[in-house]
Amino acid sequence: DYGKPDRLIIHYYKKKLNKRESALVERMLSRMSIKCPIYVINIVSAVNEDLLAFDETHPDRMPLSGTYVHLRRDEYLLYNNERYAKGKKADTLYPIKLTITQGGSNTPAAPLAPLVAKQLITQVYQFCRLYWKSVKMQRVPITIAYPEMVAQCVPHFKAEELPEYGRQHLWML
């Protein structure tokens, strides 16, 4: 409907696709005649207290929301909080550890370009601002929160399978 994508971004619970998963994705893209890079973003939803960053220009030392730090080759720490402007205060800090890898067996393991990293991290940050219950920033993006909600509900179904209606609608909301 919207033309050919310039990239495929997968928010995933594992750091990268294994060979079988990678082959499935590549086969589907090939069937659709789509050639584009695949990025896998592992979003660690556990509260992380061992990695910290500080804004030494602010009295409470909390970084602005949306600030990220490049930790290692493919790892980043995104600060997701309620401090949106200089001079403002935030009560809650949500650092999110991200690992971004290029997926696909045909993709060389090259370092991520800084602009691409920024775009992918910005997308994760924006998805943290989408939530059905409130306008407040959430700890994790909806791409992680909503599947987690589904996973908690499905075992309670009689057939232990997602009904057809639920495949097209946000029924868990």
Side-chain angles (χ1 to χ4, degrees):
D1 288 349
Y2 300 102
K4 303 278 184 193
D6 58 348
R7 62 185 168 202
L8 173 64
I9 303 166
I10 301 171
H11 291 190
Y12 205 41
Y13 68 96
K14 294 193 289 187
K15 285 196 177 181
K16 60 186 200 176
L17 301 174
N18 64 33
K19 285 184 180 185
R20 185 182 143 279
E21 295 161 336
S22 183
L24 288 169
V25 171
E26 288 174 355
R27 198 173 315 125
M28 180 61 69
L29 290 173
S30 178
R31 264 191 248 143
M32 298 170 69
S33 300
I34 296 174
K35 267 187 122 30
C36 66
I38 302 167
Y39 297 99
V40 178
I41 305 176
N42 170 250
I43 301 166
V44 179
S45 60
V47 175
N48 192 335
E49 296 178 2
D50 60 338
L51 295 169
L52 299 171
F54 299 99
D55 179 353
E56 294 190 4
T57 66
H58 195 268
D60 68 4
R61 306 285 190 248
M62 188 177 292
L64 278 173
S65 190
T67 299
Y68 66 92
V69 177
H70 189 179
L71 300 173
R72 289 173 203 83
R73 178 181 169 96
D74 58 358
E75 293 181 0
Y76 301 84
L77 193 62
L78 168 63
Y79 279 87
N80 178 13
N81 58 56
E82 296 160 347
R83 183 174 162 236
Y84 304 115
K86 292 193 182 288
K88 298 293 182 183
K89 190 173 183 327
D91 297 326
T92 311
L93 178 63
Y94 302 119
I96 302 171
K97 187 176 176 188
L98 307 173
T99 303
I100 304 173
T101 55
Q102 292 186 356
S105 59
N106 297 330
T107 307
L112 198 59
L115 179 61
V116 173
K118 182 179 181 175
Q119 291 169 340
L120 297 173
I121 292 167
T122 298
Q123 182 194 66
V124 171
Y125 178 71
Q126 289 171 342
F127 283 155
C128 289
R129 299 181 75 135
L130 299 174
Y131 192 56
W132 66 280
K133 285 185 181 179
S134 146
V135 293
K136 290 190 90 167
M137 178 75 72
Q138 299 305 303
R139 186 175 59 82
V140 294
I142 60 168
T143 53
I144 300 298
Y146 287 4
E148 202 171 281
M149 285 170 148
V150 172
Q152 291 171 358
C153 296
V154 170
H156 301 287
F157 294 164
K158 288 180 183 167
E160 291 186 0
E161 188 175 305
L162 188 61
E164 190 60 40
Y165 175 83
R167 294 169 199 249
Q168 301 296 320
H169 300 86
L170 293 175
W171 54 270
M172 73 287 207
L173 306 180

